Each structure stands twice: as C-alpha cells, then as structure tokens.
Amino acid sequence: MRLFAFPVRGLLVAVVFAAASGRLHAQFDAAVTKQLQLSPQAATDTDAFFHLLPSEEDQETGNAVPVLLRMVYEQQAFMKDVYPRLHEYAEMAINDPKLHELYFNRFADQIMRAGSMSFADWEYPLRGDRPYLILLPDIQSQRQLAGRGMTAWIKQRLSKGETDEALKGIRGQLACGRHCAATPVMVCNLVGLSLANSGFDNLELAIQIDKTPNMYWALASLPPTLQDLGPTVRWELWATPARLKEPLPPVGDEAWGQIARTFVDLYAESSNERYTEEEGESLKKNIERLALGALPSSLGFSDAEIQQMTPEERVMRWVYLQYCRVRTQIEPLTYQAPAQIIAAKNKIDAEHKELLAATGAKSSPYPVAIPQGILACRNFERRVKFLQTIEALRDHAGKHNGRLPPNLDELRLPAPNDPFTGKPLVYENDGKTVRLRQAEIEGFTTAVYDYELTAK
C-alpha cells in the first residue's frame, strides 16, 4: 500500500475521513455483577456528614498539579521497581498478606493533600496549532498512582479496621478524579471518571465492614459529573481539524489551497488510516459529487460560483458544512437529560454511517463520538445513585434488625431514580438475596451493574 505518495488533491480526500473517534470510547458490553454483604448502619441526619469531595471550607488554596507530579521524582526507585506492578496490589483481596508488602504512605499523603487543594491547572497548550497532538502522560499516570496505588493503600486501611482513614483515601481518589477532569479534554475527563470509579469500588468494600458510617447524605451531595461538561464539549468541537478558521476566504481565493494543505498535514500527523492512490481517487470523486450537490442546496452557491472553485475549495467547503451540522447537533447536548442525549447519539451515529457509505471512507474526522463521551461522564451520576440506593438499604437494615425491605417503597430514605431512565432501579427480594440492577436501554450500550446484596 502506498502511504501519502500522490499529489495533494488525491491526498486531501484520502485523509478527509482519517481521524477515528475511538479515543472517546468508554463503554462496555457485558454486565458487571457484584456481590456485596452489607453491614447494617442507619444514616444520621443530625451529625455533620462526611464529604466525599472536599467542600470549599476544607480546601487548601493552591494548584494540585505540582503536588501530584513532584511526588514521582522523590521516589525514583519506587517508580522504577514498584510502579509497574501497582495493578497487582490493587487487585489483591483485603485479607491477602502480600498486600502489606506495598509501602505507599508517602504517595497516599501527597494524593490526599492534592485532593484537598482548590484547583488544578495542567497547563496544556489547549489553543495550539495541533491540539489533538497534546501528550497526556502526566494525567495518564494518575490511573496508576491515584487509582491502583491508592486502592491498595485503602485496602490496607480497611484490613486494619481503619475505616476513617480509608474514607479519607476514597475522598482523595474522587477529588483527584475531579482535578484530572479540570481540563477540557474528553480523555482527561474519562481518566477522572476512572479514578472516581476506583473510589466507588473501594466505597463498596468499606460498606461491607462493620461500623462504616452510612454515606447516604454524602452521596446525595455529589454533583452529576466531576466537572461542567460545557467547556469540554466546546473545546473538543473547536479542536477537531474538521473545523476551518473563520471567516472563510471568498470564492476562488488562493487561500483555499493553503487551507487544504494544512488540513492534510493535520491528518497525516494524527491518523492511523492510510489510502492507496486508487482508494484516494475514488474517495475524491465521491466527495466532489456530494459537494456539488450540497453547495447550491445547503449554502446557496450559484453554478457560476461553484465553477470558480478549485476541487480543493469544493471539498473543504463541504467538510466545513458537515462539521457545522455536527456541531449544531452536539453542542446543545451538554446539559440535556441522558435520554435526550441517547436519542441524539443514535441519530448522529446513523447519519455518520450513511456518510461513510456514501463516500467509501474508512473513518471520519467529525467528532461524532462526543455524545458517547458525554454519556460516559454522566455515568458518574448513575453510579452515585446506585450507591445511594444501597446506603438507603443499609439504613433500613440498621433499623430493622438486619432485614432488607420487600420493595424500595418501604425505605425510610428515598431511593433515587436511575438518571438515565427516570425510573426506579430494578429491585427484587426473594427473602434471602436482593438483586438491584439498572434497566438496559435500547440503542445504547454501557456498563450494566447487577448487584446481589445480602445483609449481615
């Protein structure tokens, strides 16, 4: 296969659809079954509750990022020998004696301190010429340190009965997740979500241990996402190479040639897709055909104006038209309900599939995966409501001699609805085991949690 070995006109159309949107994928096909033996514990509404994210009065003024990044230089032997194996410790059972071979106290102290700080500035060149080529090794390292390493440390605390310290570690994980999501790059938001899910996994371990306080009110006070998704969605739409700088040049202007070359360069650098010369010529013909149909009907260009355009200009105006359509579909989704986002996502996916079929392209430069990224981030809220329901069940068991209720209507503390469906979670009690799960949603695949709950 020849790689970009033909003239710019063939190259242009060969890379028009080259940027895959896979980097936003954060969904799963299989149900996640969890078996929890709950420790009955009533929730109190008179004592001050523990905040799972540091409140403003508990925050230290300052930037969390230097704290997170400097700690690796203090522990270079650890980073070389232990860091690559942190996942092994994180996966160990609480009662595994090997778990205590890990010394993570210095890192845990710094992670919890960073979590308590008031903001995080990662200083990425977000408005540079190549925004999609930003390297993220620093934020990715937090999966290992604040995620897996901190999980092992929390398990150590739980094994020793140090529940209060474990809860502080869980708060540190959630807070560092919020710090990772403090930059408007969807990948960073997904890293933050990963850390938050580690914290929630550890909270599930904690609520199975006697005397762990009920976290119903702490969960109820959490936001629907770690950060406001508006800046993230707007930056992702801005950063795609399919966005042309405005105002656009007039018809027939020589600047369109440079616009085409810049567009080609972006995709040559960032894309894994390659086309042969024959594939590129076929793609060129298909897009020019679509452009000739769209430019007069959608943008109102006359036949004379279209004749003045070079093939590069026609293609780039068509690319810009498709980008505008995607942008106007996606940006309003930022603050909509998940059901509305799912419907829009399915429509965008169907149109995207039709567009690929019409052009014969291998993939698309348009950020069509953003709705999926929004929904992945909104899964934070869905997980919170699950855990809040479980804590309502622990509250009921704490007040009814360890018995779980026959249905959710019997709960003293209201069980929140699934934010994705607006309906209660599916609840079944056979007298021995409670099954709590979320409904599957037609046309949408995400992690489906299926809890099997018993009370001690």
Side-chain angles (χ1 to χ4, degrees), residues 172-188:
Q173 285 185 308
L174 292 176
C176 285
R178 181 168 64 177
H179 286 328
C180 287
T183 183
V185 179
M186 188 64 77
V187 169
C188 297

Side-chain angles (χ1 to χ4, degrees), residues 65 68 120-122 124 139 142 173-196 225-232 377 380:
V65 174
L68 291 172
D121 184 357
W122 296 87
Y124 293 137
I139 209 161
Q142 299 309 310
Q173 285 185 308
L174 292 176
C176 285
R178 181 168 64 177
H179 286 328
C180 287
T183 183
V185 179
M186 188 64 77
V187 169
C188 297
N189 280 260
L190 297 180
V191 171
L193 181 66
S194 173
L195 298 186
T225 55
L226 285 167
Q227 292 284 353
D228 180 359
L229 293 178
T232 296
C377 293
F380 176 86

